[in-house]
Amino acid sequence: MSTAKALRGRPRSEAVERAILEGVIKLIEDGVPLAEVSIELVARTAGVGKSTIYRRWSGREALFCDALRAAEPPEPELPGTSVRDDLIAILESIRRKGVVNRSSALLHNVHAQMKTQPRLWEAYHATVIQPRRLRTNEVLRRGQETGEIRTDLDVDLVNDLFVGPMLVRTMIRPSADLPETLPADVVDAVLAGLRPTG
């Protein structure tokens, strides 16, 4: 769900919103440090007033989160055919984001800078990362209910077992291969160890 606020009394202009988000991206692409990207600077770059931005976003943290989300590949539709298929779709999304981040100095630079700004990192975590974790947890709970995954393990831990290898490959080891087979390889390896025995 977008963090942008709907306008009251008149239809929301998608063109204006897109210009604002592109203004954020342009500033960062031009080398402006994230800490110096103010609402006033974004407004000037996008050719809008500051009030236009504040009607849509509560502040720079919410605006940055939407700009980053717009620059990333969209979240995948889960097939719903099996827990395995849904997990592969989720990990494939992480793999694609890793490919995009590697080819985009912008995203790599922004993610590195965000961690030095606690409020921005907290906002990104709350509006982008946490919803993704909750979605994966729902899939894993379904796997426990259907008997595909052991029920004696904490779902958050199981989530880390699936997502962890992908994050290592996409963020910690930037030169590691990201083959198209990687999501299925990870899912199958982890599921083999999580199936109930006996």
Side-chain angles (χ1 to χ4, degrees):
M1 182 180 293
S2 173
T3 56
K5 297 177 180 178
L7 290 174
R8 294 180 181 175
R10 57 181 167 169
R12 185 164 147 186
S13 169
E14 290 185 8
V16 170
E17 188 167 305
R18 188 165 55 251
I20 293 167
L21 295 175
E22 288 173 356
V24 175
I25 300 300
K26 182 181 187 308
L27 287 167
I28 298 169
E29 285 178 336
D30 288 347
V32 179
L34 205 55
E36 296 176 18
V37 179
S38 64
I39 294 293
E40 182 177 2
L41 189 55
V42 172
R44 199 159 58 239
T45 303
V48 301
K50 287 194 295 183
S51 60
T52 301
I53 295 177
Y54 281 118
R55 279 198 297 268
R56 290 164 169 80
W57 290 275
S58 58
R60 67 193 294 271
E61 289 82 13
L63 173 57
F64 288 166
C65 288
D66 273 2
L68 285 176
R69 191 160 28 210
E72 293 181 345
E75 291 298 308
E77 289 292 328
L78 300 184
T81 49
S82 69
V83 169
R84 177 184 181 273
D85 290 344
D86 284 355
L87 288 170
I88 289 173
I90 289 168
L91 297 198
E92 170 59 15
S93 173
I94 296 173
R95 188 189 73 84
R96 281 189 287 111
K97 286 182 176 70
V99 171
V100 169
N101 285 345
R102 287 183 184 183
S103 63
S104 170
L106 162 72
L107 288 174
H108 184 76
N109 182 32
V110 168
H111 286 144
Q113 291 187 60
M114 280 175 62
K115 293 179 182 178
T116 67
Q117 300 186 57
R119 283 182 56 189
L120 179 53
W121 180 250
E122 287 170 12
Y124 184 75
H125 190 275
T127 61
V128 179
I129 296 175
Q130 189 61 16
R132 289 173 183 166
R133 281 193 66 85
L134 292 175
R135 187 187 197 200
T136 304
N137 281 355
E138 289 175 9
V139 172
L140 296 172
R141 286 192 186 94
R142 178 159 48 88
Q144 290 181 328
E145 291 168 3
T146 59
E148 295 169 81
I149 295 174
R150 287 164 47 190
T151 58
D152 62 324
L153 295 174
D154 177 72
V155 170
D156 275 326
L157 172 60
V158 176
N159 191 327
D160 291 342
L161 293 175
F162 282 105
V163 175
M166 299 301 296
L167 295 181
V168 168
R169 285 286 185 101
T170 57
M171 301 183 74
I172 298 174
R173 295 177 56 206
S175 61
D177 288 339
L178 293 174
E180 292 183 2
T181 58
L182 183 61
D185 291 343
V186 171
V187 169
D188 288 340
V190 177
L191 275 180
L194 293 177
R195 289 194 186 100
T197 56

